[in-house]
Amino acid sequence: MYTILFAIAAYLIGSLSFAVVVSKLFGLADPRTYGSKNPGATNVLRSGNKKAAALTLIGDGFKGWLAVWLAIRFGPRFGVEDSGIALVVVGVFLGHLWPVFFRFVGGKGVATALGILLALNGWLGLATLVTWLVIAYAFRYSSLAALVAAVFAPFYYGLLFGSTDGILLAIVAMSILLIYRHRKNIGNLLAGKESRIGDKKKAQK
């Protein structure tokens, strides 16, 4: 019973779309109406407001971290075991992708996934972040960096803990969902049409 409650709470936390909330606070256009129409930090950056983009990135990462940290910290006293933590991981991530508060139109999950991994294990999150940074620096494609990091995250978890458990399966599910959400980017990468980091694009208002 408590495991389900923690998972539902995680989904609701994940449903807080910081891209939309921060844009509204800064008087910016709804990120779902311009650019890639993705409510995430990268699209908010297209508005030209770096502070809003940074706050979006931090907020999306923090909510992933918070939901999992709360489950790890307080879950055991309510009988929430590793399988319950795995449900929380999936719950908060699904909340970000399909937020109930914003008509189920969410982001692609990169920052939220990083927050989740950092909460599970600092080294796990750091290794995944370094992977993203290396690929992003080498190829200047944010989407490619996210895809490679998503593939390596489950591998890093297995390397750190050396076991197959519910949490590993949750990370695999999260990686698959993240790759799925980047399907348009994959098409653009294959066609050579994907925008590089640093390319200047004006928001389409």
Side-chain angles (χ1 to χ4, degrees):
M1 178 62 177
Y2 284 110
T3 296
I4 299 301
L5 290 176
F6 269 87
I8 292 173
Y11 172 77
L12 295 177
I13 291 173
S15 290
L16 297 172
S17 179
F18 280 89
V20 178
V21 173
V22 170
S23 293
K24 189 170 184 179
L25 290 174
F26 278 76
L28 304 173
D30 189 323
R32 297 169 295 180
T33 64
Y34 64 80
S36 65
K37 294 182 171 59
N38 174 64
T42 300
N43 203 36
V44 173
L45 185 59
R46 291 190 173 101
S47 71
N49 195 314
K50 294 181 180 180
K51 184 180 291 186
L55 288 175
T56 298
L57 182 68
I58 293 170
D60 283 345
F62 176 73
K63 70 182 181 185
W65 177 87
L66 179 64
V68 176
W69 180 83
L70 287 173
I72 293 173
R73 177 68 177 80
F74 299 104
R77 70 179 64 177
F78 296 101
V80 178
E81 301 177 349
D82 283 354
S83 58
I85 303 299
L87 285 177
V88 167
V89 167
V90 174
V92 68
F93 196 68
L94 288 177
H96 178 77
L97 301 187
W98 293 286
V100 66
F101 303 130
F102 297 93
R103 300 181 181 180
F104 302 101
V105 179
K108 295 177 181 177
V110 178
T112 301
L114 177 60
I116 290 169
L117 296 176
L118 286 170
L120 288 172
N121 182 275
W123 290 112
L124 172 63
L126 182 60
T128 307
L129 175 59
V130 169
T131 301
W132 188 96
L133 291 172
V134 168
I135 300 301
Y137 179 80
F139 298 97
R140 291 180 52 228
Y141 287 116
S142 175
S143 56
L144 179 62
L147 291 167
V148 174
V151 170
F152 273 85
F155 169 76
Y156 291 144
Y157 183 87
L159 191 64
L160 283 168
F161 298 100
S163 63
T164 301
D165 55 21
I167 294 177
L168 175 59
L169 293 178
I171 294 173
V172 170
M174 184 170 66
S175 295
I176 292 172
L177 286 169
L178 191 147
I179 292 170
Y180 169 75
R181 294 291 282 190
H182 280 79
R183 61 194 183 281
K184 183 177 180 180
N185 301 91
I186 294 172
N188 288 339
L189 284 166
L190 293 175
K193 298 179 180 178
E194 183 73 348
S195 299
R196 290 178 181 269
I197 296 172
D199 287 350
K200 293 183 178 180
K201 280 193 170 184
K202 293 183 179 179
Q204 300 170 10
K205 297 182 180 180

